[in-house]
Amino acid sequence: MKIAVVGCTHAGTMAVLQILKDHPDTRVTVYERDSNISFLSCGIHLYLGGKVRRLEDMFYASPQELEKQGAKVKIRHEVLKIDAQSKTLKVADMTSGHIFTDYYDKLIMTTGSSVRVPPLFGIDHAKVLLCKNFEQAREIYNTAKENKKIAIVGGGYVGVELAESYVNTGHEVVLFQAGKQILNNYVGAEFAHKIKALLSNHHINVMLNHRVTAFTENENGNLIIQSNHKKFVADMAIVATGFVPNTQLLKGQVNMDKNGAIIINNYVQTSNPDIYAAGDACVTNYNPTGEAAYLPLASSAVRQGILAGINVFGNCYPYIGTQATTGMQLFGYTLATTGLTYEIALRKELNAKKVYLENTIGFNYKEPVSIELVYDQDTRKILGAQLWSKHEVAQSANALSIAIQNGNTIDDLASLNSDFKFLNIVAQMAINQIH
């Protein structure tokens, strides 16, 4: 069997390794338009902040390693067209300019995502950078040496982590968020307020409800950032406004959601039985709601890539879904989240309730732990949680993630024999709240 893998970041790399581990005689051809594979873009802020010494250390696989396993890896090759009916690919060698046609028996689509570029005037200005791939990471690092005032557009994970790294390396930072809170896809209002205060205490100017509309330049060569309220002057700007799936090659050939993410079944198979998809190019099965959702996370991409490598030979291993559990360290604090926030649960029209606890009681810690637990009043099932502390709380989020995946209730959590006693306490608070 001949398998074509289009795109080779996290999902593509794992799919290839899995295929060649289980079926070493399979003919696997990888097409990747960049000059590298498996770049950990989620660690760009670590390189900027000096916690990672070499940008090259943020690769965990190379084309040569995949070729040693038996794959044919075509880097700097752009797939121009996919014809799902004839099972052919039209490909351009970006080095020589040669265009040729290849075929496949099965296709794995792992083309990833790109930065969501808002329709801003001046977005192509030389002093406005994006933050996603290896080349962009190198440019962010190199330009940081010569620029003092940095504007970051987007208050999600990428924007907040970059803000910390910039200010820790002596830069002046202003962070723009179009909405009323930062990290709105990950935390509720209470936690967002805490994090904003922490950023402000470290001299990061957080501008909420400021939608950036244009980038221009003044007579001194400074970058002018125009928001819906006022103008700001900076030396350069980073746009980190989320991600969109790279799926144009299959548009009209497989089912997609309204955002262009490929819809998959429980075996990461598309509506075309000979095409599988994994990673940022497709949706995930989101367990807190039981619905498909677009959640571009490296952890999900890795799991889906492995499943694609298994199921392309016959659907035998179902995808158990995700809770979109995430974590970040910020100025000595740890934030860990899993599942739905209270605000998002209400938007999903769930009969949600939340409890909030901040204390050292039952924690065996000198520093407090803050936790917000979200649950469904009808089913009593846990829907999500956020934790915040100077202590390590990521494992608590992992425990709650498993609880959501298993459909556990607040009653289950209250009686759980756990090292994380504050989980029992906050679950008991939830039980008392609805009695």
Side-chain angles (χ1 to χ4, degrees):
M1 183 163 66
K2 184 173 182 179
I3 299 175
V5 178
V6 181
C8 199
T9 52
H10 307 305
T13 300
M14 301 311 294
V16 172
L17 291 173
Q18 189 68 44
I19 290 168
L20 296 175
K21 174 187 173 185
D22 297 339
H23 304 273
D25 295 330
T26 305
R27 290 179 294 163
V28 180
T29 303
V30 178
Y31 289 108
E32 171 55 57
R33 64 186 178 186
D34 286 335
S35 60
N36 54 75
I37 66 171
S38 76
F39 180 63
L40 289 162
S41 60
C42 51
I44 291 175
H45 70 285
L46 298 176
Y47 177 59
L48 177 63
K51 295 179 181 179
V52 173
R53 288 182 176 272
R54 297 171 63 252
L55 190 58
E56 290 74 13
D57 292 337
M58 290 168 60
F59 296 106
Y60 56 86
S62 69
Q64 293 75 22
E65 288 175 280
L66 296 190
E67 287 178 336
K68 284 181 181 178
Q69 298 296 320
K72 184 183 293 184
V73 182
K74 301 288 189 179
I75 59 172
R76 298 290 294 161
H77 278 66
E78 176 87 25
V79 175
L80 303 175
K81 183 180 179 181
I82 297 174
D83 188 326
Q85 187 170 0
S86 64
K87 295 187 179 181
T88 57
L89 309 170
K90 186 178 181 181
V91 185
D93 182 331
M94 298 168 69
T95 303
S96 68
H98 175 60
I99 296 176
F100 60 93
T101 299
D102 197 3
Y103 77 95
Y104 62 86
D105 296 310
K106 299 285 184 178
L107 171 67
I108 299 178
M109 193 72 168
T110 49
T111 42
S113 62
S114 300
V115 176
R116 183 188 298 275
V117 180
L120 301 177
F121 180 84
I123 188 68
D124 57 348
H125 194 286
K127 294 182 179 180
V128 179
L129 306 180
L130 304 181
C131 182
K132 175 67 172 174
N133 62 32
F134 175 79
E135 295 300 332
Q136 291 165 352
R138 186 159 56 187
E139 191 172 8
I140 286 171
Y141 181 81
N142 290 336
T143 55
K145 301 172 185 177
E146 303 169 355
N147 296 279
K148 178 74 171 178
K149 296 181 179 180
I150 310 297
I152 299 173
V153 182
Y157 258 67
V158 175
V160 169
E161 289 176 328
L162 283 176
E164 180 195 29
S165 292
Y166 271 117
V167 80
N168 281 343
T169 51
H171 294 81
E172 298 175 22
V173 180
V174 56
L175 176 65
F176 296 95
Q177 173 70 342
K180 63 182 179 180
Q181 72 163 71
I182 57 174
L183 298 171
N184 53 293
N185 290 326
Y186 303 96
V187 302
E190 192 84 35
F191 276 66
H193 178 75
K194 283 178 175 292
I195 296 167
K196 179 182 180 297
L198 181 67
L199 296 177
S200 298
N201 289 340
H202 285 84
H203 311 293
I204 296 170
N205 188 10
V206 181
M207 306 301 298
L208 300 178
N209 295 308
H210 275 254
R211 181 173 53 85
V212 172
T213 58
F215 299 101
T216 55
E217 191 175 291
N218 64 15
E219 62 276 7
N220 297 321
N222 301 118
L223 185 68
I224 304 298
I225 298 97
Q226 176 69 61
S227 83
N228 55 329
H229 292 298
K230 58 183 291 189
K231 293 181 179 179
F232 297 82
V233 178
D235 295 323
M236 61 177 293
I238 312 293
V239 176
T241 47
F243 303 101
V244 292
N246 297 324
T247 57
Q248 284 296 315
L249 287 169
L250 286 178
K251 188 174 182 180
Q253 301 188 83
V254 299
N255 293 340
M256 299 181 183
D257 71 4
K258 62 181 181 180
N259 299 311
I262 298 170
I263 295 173
I264 54 173
N265 64 13
N266 287 338
Y267 298 94
V268 302
Q269 185 181 40
T270 73
S271 56
N272 182 314
D274 294 319
I275 300 177
Y276 289 74
D280 288 9
C282 67
V283 299
T284 59
N285 301 339
Y286 191 42
N287 291 325
T289 62
E291 300 174 347
Y294 184 61
L295 301 165
L297 296 171
S299 55
S300 295
V302 167
R303 287 194 293 271
Q304 287 181 329
I306 292 171
L307 288 173
I310 295 172
N311 291 325
V312 72
F313 294 95
N315 295 342
C316 58
Y317 202 101
Y319 178 39
I320 61 174
T322 182
Q323 292 69 249
T325 306
T326 63
M328 72 184 304
Q329 290 185 319
L330 192 65
F331 296 115
Y333 284 83
T334 295
L335 171 68
T337 73
T338 187
L340 294 168
T341 68
Y342 176 65
E343 292 80 1
I344 293 177
L346 292 182
R347 289 204 298 270
K348 296 289 183 182
E349 299 184 345
L350 297 172
N351 189 18
K353 200 82 171 175
K354 66 175 180 177
V355 284
Y356 178 82
L357 172 66
E358 181 176 2
N359 212 317
T360 58
I361 299 172
F363 296 70
N364 297 321
Y365 293 151
K366 293 180 181 180
E367 295 283 345
V369 172
S370 300
I371 177 170
E372 181 169 297
L373 183 71
V374 184
Y375 63 96
D376 189 306
Q377 295 183 83
D378 297 329
T379 65
R380 303 172 78 89
K381 288 183 178 180
I382 301 163
L383 297 175
Q386 303 125 57
L387 299 103
W388 173 256
S389 180
K390 287 186 176 180
H391 298 282
E392 210 298 311
V393 290
Q395 292 307 314
S396 302
N398 287 337
L400 288 166
S401 176
I402 295 171
I404 297 170
Q405 180 178 295
N406 292 339
N408 291 130
T409 65
I410 53 176
D411 308 279
D412 297 328
L413 187 60
S415 60
L416 181 68
N417 182 16
S418 169
D419 292 334
F420 313 116
K421 293 183 174 61
F422 50 86
L423 298 184
N424 304 93
I425 295 172
V426 76
Q428 189 61 55
M429 289 173 61
I431 292 171
N432 295 337
Q433 189 178 54
I434 59 176
H435 276 178

